[in-house]
Amino acid sequence: MQRNEVKAFRQRLVRAGFTDICIYEQFTGDYIVSCRSSTGDRINKVMTIAKMNNTPRVVWFD
């Protein structure tokens, strides 16, 4: 089972148009977020729960 924060972040990614979403938990408490943008670009980020919560509701990545 995933934490509610991770499920909510996944749902925000879906609503923003991202596809092929994978979120893996590492033993350090970090999460590897991998997804594909609507333009086909592959995005890979290492995030914590705090970063997921602080990402704007309209999801964007640097």
Side-chain angles (χ1 to χ4, degrees):
M1 289 202 103
Q2 289 186 328
R3 294 177 57 161
N4 289 336
E5 295 90 345
V6 176
K7 290 187 233 179
F9 188 69
R10 179 186 305 275
Q11 187 61 38
R12 287 180 17 217
L13 289 173
V14 170
R15 286 187 196 133
F18 291 91
T19 58
D20 197 18
I21 301 166
C22 297
I23 302 176
Y24 298 101
E25 183 178 7
Q26 294 182 318
F27 293 106
T28 59
D30 293 334
Y31 289 83
I32 297 175
V33 179
S34 177
C35 59
R36 191 170 302 278
S37 71
S38 58
T39 60
D41 297 328
R42 193 74 180 149
I43 298 169
N44 296 306
K45 292 286 182 180
V46 177
M47 302 182 82
T48 62
I49 293 294
K51 285 182 184 177
M52 288 181 197
N53 289 336
N54 291 329
T55 300
R57 294 294 174 228
V58 178
V59 178
W60 56 273
F61 292 100
D62 294 341

